[in-house]
Every structure is written in structure tokens, then in C-alpha cells.
Amino acid sequence: MATNSERNMRSFFLIAIVFIMIIVAALIIWKDAWLQAAADYLVIAEDVKPSDVIIVLGGENKGERTERAVELYKQGLAPYVLFSDGTDLSWRLRAVDEMVALAKMREVPAEAILTEERSESTYENALFTKPILQEKG
């Protein structure tokens, strides 16, 4: 027969396990919201200046980086927009293609769009965009 102490200990562990499961479920269910909140915290105020190119790194959820790049392009801050992302979204669709399609839909001309399609990390974004930038001068 279990003593009161043993029953209390079992109850405590059961409550702790249920609590942890609720926390894990909440993190999974609202992961996009808390990840976006964490990303928003990292955004700093911009001091925008004209440039040779606007570089857009992949990893966006809703096209927010592409939208911002289009705004900057339309303000005349750069003659080119370079989209850098090698991620496959499916067997037939790449993230960079979605970025380009959105930019074109927002009336960025095809001749102003450059793409880098091999990178799968921020390091590779830099590594693979460098030759494209050097080629454009």
C-alpha cells in the first residue's frame, strides 16, 4: 500500500508532467507568433541611404522582406534587388521564385531583379552573393 508521501509524490510528478505537456503544446501551437515576436525584437531603426543593390535574404514567412525591398526599390534607393535563398519549398517550388514573383507582382521590372539560388544559411547568402555583386560591379 502506498503511503501519503508516495501518493503526494506521484501527484506532484503527474501535475508536473501535465504542466510541461501544456507548455510544449502551447509553444508548438503558437510557434510562428513567438518566433515572429523574437525576430521583431531584433529589428532596429533604419537609416536608409542609396546603395548599389538591395539584398534580400530568405527565411521570410509572409513576404515581409520582399515587400520592404520593393518599397526601398520604388523609393529609388538602388537599381537592383538581389534575392538570396536556396531553400526548396516543395519538389517544384523554390523560396527565391516566390520572392521574385512577389516583387514582379509589385511591379519591380525583371531587369532589376537578381537571384542567388544556392544558399541555405546566412553564411552562404554572403558567400554566393559576392560573385554576383562583383559581376555587376
Side-chain angles (χ1 to χ4, degrees), residues 20-35:
I20 290 169
M21 289 173 61
I22 290 170
I23 296 296
V24 169
L27 288 174
I28 291 169
I29 291 169
W30 292 294
K31 77 173 173 50
D32 289 340
W34 64 264
L35 285 173

Side-chain angles (χ1 to χ4, degrees), residues 4-103:
N4 281 342
S5 176
E6 290 172 336
R7 274 185 252 146
N8 288 342
M9 190 63 101
R10 283 186 201 148
S11 294
F12 172 78
F13 282 121
L14 182 60
I15 291 170
I17 288 170
V18 169
F19 179 75
I20 290 169
M21 289 173 61
I22 290 170
I23 296 296
V24 169
L27 288 174
I28 291 169
I29 291 169
W30 292 294
K31 77 173 173 50
D32 289 340
W34 64 264
L35 285 173
Q36 188 62 52
D40 290 344
Y41 176 76
L42 299 173
V43 174
I44 58 171
E46 297 179 41
D47 183 21
V48 290
K49 299 175 185 169
S51 180
D52 296 328
V53 65
I54 298 164
I55 300 175
V56 185
L57 306 183
E60 59 188 355
N61 290 325
K62 300 174 185 167
E64 60 278 358
R65 294 177 184 180
T66 299
E67 293 281 4
R68 181 65 177 139
V70 169
E71 287 175 26
L72 296 172
Y73 175 81
K74 287 184 173 183
Q75 291 173 20
L77 292 169
Y80 299 103
V81 181
L82 191 159
F83 296 102
S84 177
D85 193 334
T87 307
D88 290 328
L89 299 177
S90 72
W91 60 272
R92 63 181 179 195
L93 185 62
R94 295 177 309 165
V96 73
D97 296 332
E98 284 291 297
M99 298 161 80
V100 168
L102 179 56

